[in-house]
Amino acid sequence: MSDTDTRDPTSLRTPIVAVLGHVDHGKTSLLDKIRGSAVIEGEAGAITQHIGATAVPLDIISSIAGDLVDPDDFDLPGLLFIDTPGHHSFTTLRSRGGALADIAILVVDVNDGFQPQTLEALDILRRSQTPFIVAANKIDTVPGWNASEDSPINDTYESQSDRVRQRLDERLYEIIGNLSDEGFSADLYWRVQNFQRNVGVVPVSAMTGEGVPDLLTVMMGLSQRYMKEEMEIDVTGPGVGTVLEVKEEKGFGTTIDTVLYDGTIRADDQLVVGGMNEPIVTDVRALLQPRPLAEIRTESRFEKVDEVSAAAGIKVAAPELANAMAGAPVRVVRDRDLDDVIEEVQAELADIAVDTAEE
Ligand code: GDP
């Protein structure tokens, strides 16, 4: 925690991923599947459970994806999934006026097709100009499906009968047609050359894990190819984040669960946090991460850490947080002028107020 940080100040952070889609189309199951696969593939501790988010490092993605991913092709460190799916969290969580998520997965049930919340989600993605891919979920429910757990889509596709393949194709093309009706040119992901122009559709099953290797590969490729510049941050600089949730925590008082998307936050930092009436100026009392399950006995569920760098989910305990708001900005002051930081936070709060009024 010294001021002479020897790390390369410019480094690439993890892209932040949000999952959207109609209720019951499988958002939660898909996140659970990704988390579960990552735990199975990883050595203990390889997947890090953050507060409100799950980090899946590149080496885990490449072991899940097998031949689909060569880790040498990538220098982004992995993907950080926000644990709360749905568009409420997507629209309330912002960064500097834009969406907090850098990239999104829109989940569509292949049987149920487009539904009202699918359209709402598309509208939100369009307005926030968030790149996304479509997970065409529940492919295992196609009548006659022959499941092969956790397989890449190509392998599992090969092992289906012609009838089944045809049924799946029909459903996938219907989704592609629906996307096109909404003004998004889309295709099956392996046919997409330019993911900036076309939306890739990835057939998956959150139940059997089929297509999950493809989904992770496409997300990683898309981020690496089109978002690398935005991921370049000053890791050692003063942290910038967004409040996910304000929570009372036994022994710590009011805490803010925060997604950090730039810089570092340290246990001795001064913070400015967006409040209901005005920015709150406070000092970090503790930075808390979930304690690994194996270590939980009578101790706290959390462990204190000295510092965290973006992108990460962290619980911050500090005085005066009772009026903090979900969706509000958090900024570390460090060696800057406090009034300037307060002004920045005020400006961001004003942006949020305008956006909320428009909705
Ligand atoms: P959410 O509301 O979008 O988060 O949807 P959930 O993840 O809660 O899923 C809704 C229901 O669909 C649950 O009963 C899941 O078990 C089921 N489900 C989700 N994904 C799949 C899938 O890929 N295949 C099958 N067969 N069922 C699924």
Side-chain angles (χ1 to χ4, degrees), residues 151-207:
S151 286
I153 202 67
N154 189 43
D155 297 356
T156 195
Y157 205 73
E158 296 281 303
S159 66
Q160 308 303 324
S161 68
D162 288 347
R163 269 309 286 281
V164 170
R165 236 179 278 164
Q166 196 186 339
R167 281 187 193 127
L168 176 62
D169 286 349
E170 278 164 16
R171 289 165 198 202
L172 294 173
Y173 281 108
E174 191 168 322
I175 291 174
I176 290 168
N178 292 144
L179 283 163
S180 152
D181 294 344
E182 293 306 309
F184 293 96
S185 145
D187 210 337
L188 295 168
Y189 90 85
W190 53 87
R191 301 221 179 104
V192 174
Q193 301 277 338
N194 182 332
F195 281 90
Q196 262 175 327
R197 269 190 239 131
N198 297 301
V199 175
V201 175
V202 186
V204 298
S205 165
M207 192 75 96

Side-chain angles (χ1 to χ4, degrees), residues 104-157:
I105 301 176
L106 176 63
V107 180
V108 183
D109 179 332
V110 285
N111 298 302
D112 215 17
F114 267 44
Q115 293 297 328
Q117 290 166 334
T118 319
L119 293 167
E120 275 172 38
L122 269 179
D123 202 38
I124 292 165
L125 293 169
R126 184 188 348 248
R127 276 190 287 155
S128 60
Q129 299 190 343
T130 307
F132 66 98
I133 56 169
V134 170
N137 190 33
K138 307 198 189 183
I139 55 171
D140 63 290
T141 61
V142 171
W145 189 260
N146 172 22
S148 48
E149 297 270 319
D150 302 324
S151 286
I153 202 67
N154 189 43
D155 297 356
T156 195
Y157 205 73

Side-chain angles (χ1 to χ4, degrees), residues 17 76 97 118 139 164 214 219 251 267 292 321 336:
V17 185
L76 291 177
T118 319
I139 55 171
V164 170
D214 307 65
M219 301 290 289
L321 289 178
R336 294 176 303 157

Side-chain angles (χ1 to χ4, degrees), residues 12-13 102 131 226-233 261:
L12 293 169
R13 74 160 166 84
D102 301 299
Y226 302 110
M227 279 187 293
K228 194 174 150 180
E229 274 166 33
E230 292 163 50
M231 297 301 111
E232 278 173 9
I233 59 158
Y261 59 86

Side-chain angles (χ1 to χ4, degrees), residues 87-105:
H87 34 271
H88 179 68
S89 65
F90 187 89
T91 47
T92 47
L93 300 179
R94 304 168 153 273
S95 67
R96 300 188 180 112
L100 173 64
D102 301 299
I103 180 167
I105 301 176

Side-chain angles (χ1 to χ4, degrees), residues 26-349:
K27 299 177 292 294
T28 313
S29 309
L30 190 60
L31 276 165
D32 285 348
K33 189 73 200 176
I34 292 168
R35 271 194 294 258
S37 313
V39 169
I40 292 162
E41 289 294 338
E43 303 284 309
I47 169 181
T48 22
Q49 189 59 49
H50 289 226
I51 296 286
T54 305
V56 187
L58 175 61
D59 57 341
I60 300 293
I61 291 177
S62 76
S63 53
I64 294 172
D67 294 342
L68 297 176
V69 164
D70 178 353
D72 293 341
D73 291 343
F74 299 96
D75 46 16
L76 291 177
L79 298 167
L80 184 76
F81 291 87
I82 297 176
D83 287 340
T84 359
H87 34 271
H88 179 68
S89 65
F90 187 89
T91 47
T92 47
L93 300 179
R94 304 168 153 273
S95 67
R96 300 188 180 112
L100 173 64
D102 301 299
I103 180 167
I105 301 176
L106 176 63
V107 180
V108 183
D109 179 332
V110 285
N111 298 302
D112 215 17
F114 267 44
Q115 293 297 328
Q117 290 166 334
T118 319
L119 293 167
E120 275 172 38
L122 269 179
D123 202 38
I124 292 165
L125 293 169
R126 184 188 348 248
R127 276 190 287 155
S128 60
Q129 299 190 343
T130 307
F132 66 98
I133 56 169
V134 170
N137 190 33
K138 307 198 189 183
I139 55 171
D140 63 290
T141 61
V142 171
W145 189 260
N146 172 22
S148 48
E149 297 270 319
D150 302 324
S151 286
I153 202 67
N154 189 43
D155 297 356
T156 195
Y157 205 73
E158 296 281 303
S159 66
Q160 308 303 324
S161 68
D162 288 347
R163 269 309 286 281
V164 170
R165 236 179 278 164
Q166 196 186 339
R167 281 187 193 127
L168 176 62
D169 286 349
E170 278 164 16
R171 289 165 198 202
L172 294 173
Y173 281 108
E174 191 168 322
I175 291 174
I176 290 168
N178 292 144
L179 283 163
S180 152
D181 294 344
E182 293 306 309
F184 293 96
S185 145
D187 210 337
L188 295 168
Y189 90 85
W190 53 87
R191 301 221 179 104
V192 174
Q193 301 277 338
N194 182 332
F195 281 90
Q196 262 175 327
R197 269 190 239 131
N198 297 301
V199 175
V201 175
V202 186
V204 298
S205 165
M207 192 75 96
T208 66
E210 291 163 292
V212 170
D214 307 65
L215 188 70
L216 292 171
T217 306
V218 178
M219 301 290 289
M220 206 61 219
L222 183 61
S223 316
Q224 178 75 29
R225 187 94 188 261
Y226 302 110
M227 279 187 293
K228 194 174 150 180
E229 274 166 33
E230 292 163 50
M231 297 301 111
E232 278 173 9
I233 59 158
D234 174 4
V235 260
T236 60
V240 189
T242 301
V243 178
L244 272 176
E245 224 178 313
V246 184
K247 274 188 187 162
E248 282 300 316
E249 218 60 75
K250 215 170 146 212
F252 296 104
T254 313
T255 63
I256 45 173
D257 291 357
T258 303
V259 173
L260 195 69
Y261 59 86
D262 198 355
T264 297
I265 178 167
R266 298 177 184 153
D268 59 356
D269 272 327
Q270 184 181 38
L271 300 180
V272 180
V273 181
M276 279 175 218
N277 309 312
E278 57 194 359
I280 301 160
V281 178
T282 186
D283 292 309
V284 175
R285 192 185 278 150
L287 297 177
L288 303 167
Q289 277 182 343
R291 191 181 288 277
L293 278 176
E295 291 176 19
I296 300 179
R297 290 209 177 76
T298 52
E299 291 175 286
S300 157
R301 289 190 292 132
F302 304 109
E303 68 184 349
K304 291 186 186 175
V305 291
D306 288 338
E307 74 166 40
V308 188
S309 296
I314 185 81
K315 184 183 278 295
V316 182
E320 317 289 341
L321 289 178
N323 283 333
M325 295 187 299
V330 179
R331 285 178 175 269
V332 168
V333 180
R334 209 150 313 150
D335 44 14
R336 294 176 303 157
D337 185 48
L338 176 61
D339 288 334
D340 290 348
V341 182
I342 293 176
E343 249 173 61
E344 283 171 11
V345 169
Q346 254 159 349
E348 284 177 80
L349 283 172

